[in-house]
């Protein structure tokens, strides 16, 4: 696996972004890991009467399927898996443990799409993870050089030369964070590579 890309809450309901991202994936010769959480779809499920935690779990699982279908439309072969399946990601005493052997057993050619669900050992049930913590765990487990995030400024795709950009989000000013950095990563105190779909 050659890269670790993060699809966050701010991008998962953006059809134009996801299509551009899938097109970029289709151009890549190397395989990578893509991780994701939930989106505004969670709130829509809550409006139907679901409890928040149940809605979030359902949204994450559904998004995993929807993203695979979207990527397939662009010719991207993807294996989708929810993190709690096959004990891929376990959560014990708030510590994330990734089964590296299990991840390496997947075929090396397609992309690997992993949802932010872990098997919570104390409850023996899935639990939604913090996406920044999950990204950091994957980076450390597989020694990825960068965690790849995507700018939330839709006009960024039209600015040539500024991206990719290496930053530590916690060190940037609030105006930059609000313009470019997904909300869940704004206090992240580790280096990330900020991209647009076109520069990824």
């Amino acid at each position: 696996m050659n890269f670790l890309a993060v699809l966050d809450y701010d991008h998962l309901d953006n059809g134009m972004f996801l299509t551009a991202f899938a097109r970029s994936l289709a151009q890549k010769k190397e395989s990578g890991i893509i991780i994701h959480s939930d989106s505004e779809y969670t709130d829509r499920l809550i409006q139907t009467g679901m409890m928040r935690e149940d809605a979030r779990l359902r949204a994450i699982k559904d998004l995993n399927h929807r993203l695979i279908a979207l990527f397939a439309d662009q010719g991207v072969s993807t294996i989708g898996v929810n993190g709690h399946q096959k004990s891929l990601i376990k959560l014990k005493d708030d510590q994330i443990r990734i089964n590296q052997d299990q991840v390496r057993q997947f075929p090396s050619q397609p992309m690997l799409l992993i949802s932010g669900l872990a098997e919570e050992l104390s409850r023996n049930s899935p639990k939604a993870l913090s996406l920044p913590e999950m990204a950091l765990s994957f980076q450390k487990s597989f020694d990825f050089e960068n965690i790849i995030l995507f700018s939330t400024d839709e006009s960024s795709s039209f600015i040539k030369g500024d991206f990719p950009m290496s930053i530590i989000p916690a060190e940037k000013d609030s105006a930059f964070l609000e313009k470019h950095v997904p909300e869940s990563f704004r206090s992240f105190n580790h280096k990330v590579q900020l991209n647009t779909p076109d520069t990824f």
Side-chain angles (χ1 to χ4, degrees), residues 36-134:
H36 72 90
S37 60
D38 66 333
S39 71
E40 290 179 12
Y41 182 42
T42 300
D43 295 323
R44 294 196 290 274
L45 289 173
I46 290 169
Q47 289 167 7
T48 69
M50 291 182 76
M51 299 294 288
R52 174 165 288 281
E53 187 172 350
D54 292 338
R56 193 166 183 214
L57 295 178
R58 165 85 179 275
I60 290 171
K61 291 176 183 177
D62 285 357
L63 276 166
N64 198 266
H65 295 300
R66 285 165 53 189
L67 288 168
I68 289 168
L70 176 81
F71 295 164
D73 286 345
Q74 298 297 328
V76 180
S77 175
T78 311
I79 295 173
V81 62
N82 289 299
H84 67 285
Q85 293 174 315
K86 301 181 179 180
S87 299
L88 193 69
I89 306 172
K90 294 181 180 179
L91 192 64
K92 184 176 183 182
D93 302 326
D94 290 329
Q95 295 293 313
I96 297 172
R97 298 178 182 176
I98 297 167
N99 187 332
Q100 296 179 44
D101 292 337
Q102 191 73 257
V103 172
R104 290 192 174 101
Q105 284 178 12
F106 288 107
S108 60
Q109 193 50 43
M111 303 296 169
L112 186 58
L113 178 72
I114 303 176
S115 77
L117 294 177
E119 178 186 351
E120 190 173 23
L121 297 178
S122 61
R123 297 191 314 168
N124 200 26
S125 62
K127 178 175 175 139
L129 295 171
S130 150
L131 200 53
E133 289 176 16
M134 182 183 172

Side-chain angles (χ1 to χ4, degrees), residues 2-3 11 16 32 38 41 52-53 75 87 97 114 140 145-146 151 161 163 170:
N2 294 283
F3 63 85
H11 285 112
M16 282 180 62
D38 66 333
Y41 182 42
R52 174 165 288 281
E53 187 172 350
S87 299
R97 298 178 182 176
I114 303 176
K140 289 177 177 175
E145 184 179 352
N146 291 303
S151 172
F163 299 94

